[in-house]
Amino acid sequence: MQLKPINQQVVAIVGASSGIGRETALQFAKRGAKLVVSTRSEAKIAPLVDEIRGFGGEVTAVVADVTVFEQVKAIADRTVEVYGRLDTWVHCPAIAVYAAFDKTKPEEFKRVIDVGLMGQVYGAMAALPHLKREGRGALIHLSSVLGRRSVPLQSSYCTAKHGMEGFIEAMRVELQHEKIPISVTSVKPAAVNTPLYNNALTRLGVKPASLPPFYEPSLVADAILYVAEHPTRDFLVGDAGRMIDVLQRLSPSLVDFILERVAFRLQRTDQPKSEDGPNNLYEPIPSHDRVEGDFKNLVIPSLTDWLDKNPALKWGALVSTVALAFLAAQAFKTGGQI
């Protein structure tokens, strides 16, 4: 399966007004891709369009609500109308409710599912006919490590991410069966320093957070651009996310034990916020149209992302580690002589 170089691609990015979506749009534009960017508010997408055009990028904006299939379909149709084709579809939107499951209202839970799961489903349904007609392309869905392992106080968000993994896996195999060379990727970040936490509805009494450490949105955008050129099944972003994934595979009960002791405390900041505070559950918030959030002091780099983008070095490092472990074991057995 071969994907076009980014500077030859037409890319649609849904949920581009802030956070990971905004940074991804900027990186694609700087690399020469033609863009269609979308969000649910014209006022929120206009500054991004101006910024991209300011450095010579080619971009078109479409206002759409991802909970309405016809509006999502209009993003894909507009992309083909303006640029003649669609090469890569990147679907980012998500909203969050921080509350215990029994403190979450049914309509709030459903709303998170409508945006975070059904929006992703609608995106794939809208993009696939155009990608099939081209005979290749990439579907990139922004998931989360919480699609592998749920945490307390985010039951609706985790449900959306788990559901996303289910339909992506089924769709991927169906495309393989049809022998249609479309790359389907789930990008799964650990905690990312975006405005999501400013925008979330919370019943914790304070502004919510995520389990540290945090990673910069640019790290996720880098992963998205990488899989847009290199067909990849899953891309976990952040060393912490990979560690959680491994622990979950080894011992879910151990992860239960750890989360029970740290997750309730670490998902709370010391900044008061009531459940009536501004949130974007049903309507966009005028502020927070930026890439980064408020957790810069908790951001760390990630080594394993770089290794995943350089598979030859990754496997070389793995082989070297195994070899060193073997030699160390032999030396231990022979009293220091190999």
Side-chain angles (χ1 to χ4, degrees):
M1 187 186 302
Q2 187 172 5
L3 300 173
K4 295 177 182 178
I6 284 174
N7 62 4
Q8 298 176 21
Q9 288 193 21
V10 174
V11 182
I13 302 175
V14 187
S17 63
S18 66
I20 294 166
R22 186 184 187 90
E23 177 65 16
T24 300
L26 291 169
Q27 288 200 25
F28 267 114
K30 289 173 182 176
R31 291 272 298 274
K34 296 180 175 65
L35 291 185
V36 169
V37 293
S38 179
T39 191
R40 55 180 165 168
S41 164
E42 186 172 356
K44 289 176 72 68
I45 203 68
L48 174 63
V49 171
D50 291 342
E51 184 173 354
I52 290 173
R53 289 177 178 166
F55 58 72
E58 193 168 349
V59 62
T60 299
V62 178
V63 176
D65 183 338
V66 296
T67 67
V68 182
F69 173 69
E70 290 303 322
Q71 293 188 28
V72 180
K73 182 176 180 295
I75 303 170
D77 293 346
R78 179 64 174 159
T79 303
V80 175
E81 178 186 339
V82 174
Y83 299 116
R85 67 180 193 278
L86 171 64
D87 298 309
T88 296
W89 180 274
V90 183
H91 203 101
C92 299
I95 55 176
V97 173
Y98 277 77
F101 174 74
D102 62 357
K103 297 293 191 297
T104 305
K105 296 177 182 178
E107 61 272 20
E108 295 166 350
F109 202 103
K110 181 178 183 298
R111 177 66 177 174
V112 173
I113 300 301
D114 286 345
V115 172
L117 173 55
M118 293 310 301
Q120 295 273 355
V121 170
Y122 293 161
M125 288 179 171
L128 265 179
H130 300 294
L131 296 176
K132 284 184 175 183
R133 186 167 56 249
E134 284 299 305
R136 66 175 175 178
L139 275 173
I140 302 172
H141 295 271
L142 187 62
S143 182
S144 169
V145 70
L146 301 188
R148 289 274 179 89
R149 168 67 215 203
S150 296
V151 297
L153 305 179
Q154 294 191 61
S155 57
S156 55
Y157 184 89
C158 294
T159 299
K161 298 304 184 182
H162 274 74
M164 187 190 309
E165 297 302 321
F167 96 80
I168 287 173
E169 287 184 350
M171 176 178 60
R172 183 186 291 116
V173 176
E174 290 168 4
L175 290 169
Q176 291 171 353
H177 180 70
E178 295 179 59
K179 295 182 171 49
I180 300 175
I182 295 173
S183 174
V184 180
T185 304
S186 171
V187 177
K188 302 178 177 67
V192 183
N193 179 32
T194 73
L196 172 76
Y197 313 99
N198 303 78
N199 294 330
L201 186 152
T202 177
R203 290 205 171 84
L204 307 182
V206 294
K207 186 178 105 176
S210 192
L211 299 177
F214 284 78
Y215 299 94
E216 290 291 12
S218 58
L219 190 68
V220 188
D222 288 344
I224 291 171
L225 268 72
Y226 175 81
V227 302
E229 289 185 312
H230 304 86
T232 306
R233 179 188 179 92
D234 298 288
F235 199 113
L236 279 91
V237 180
D239 299 333
R242 290 176 175 84
M243 183 175 68
I244 292 170
D245 183 50
V246 170
L247 286 176
Q248 176 67 13
R249 294 173 189 272
L250 292 174
S251 176
S253 59
L254 173 61
V255 183
D256 289 347
F257 177 84
I258 295 169
L259 290 176
E260 183 186 355
R261 279 151 183 78
V262 304
F264 293 88
R265 173 173 53 87
L266 293 179
Q267 290 185 97
R268 291 176 163 89
T269 69
D270 58 5
Q271 181 179 333
K273 183 178 179 180
S274 73
E275 64 181 271
D276 299 322
N279 66 78
N280 68 350
L281 193 63
Y282 297 105
E283 298 293 337
I285 300 176
S287 58
H288 309 316
D289 295 335
R290 61 184 192 269
V291 170
E292 295 183 355
D294 301 331
F295 298 99
K296 186 77 173 178
N297 60 315
L298 298 176
V299 167
I300 64 170
S302 176
L303 172 64
T304 50
D305 288 75
W306 182 81
L307 288 173
D308 276 354
K309 295 169 194 168
N310 297 272
L313 294 174
K314 174 183 176 181
W315 289 111
L318 180 60
V319 170
S320 298
T321 301
V322 171
L324 287 172
F326 175 77
L327 292 173
Q330 289 297 103
F332 180 79
K333 287 180 181 178
T334 59
Q337 296 188 6
I338 299 176

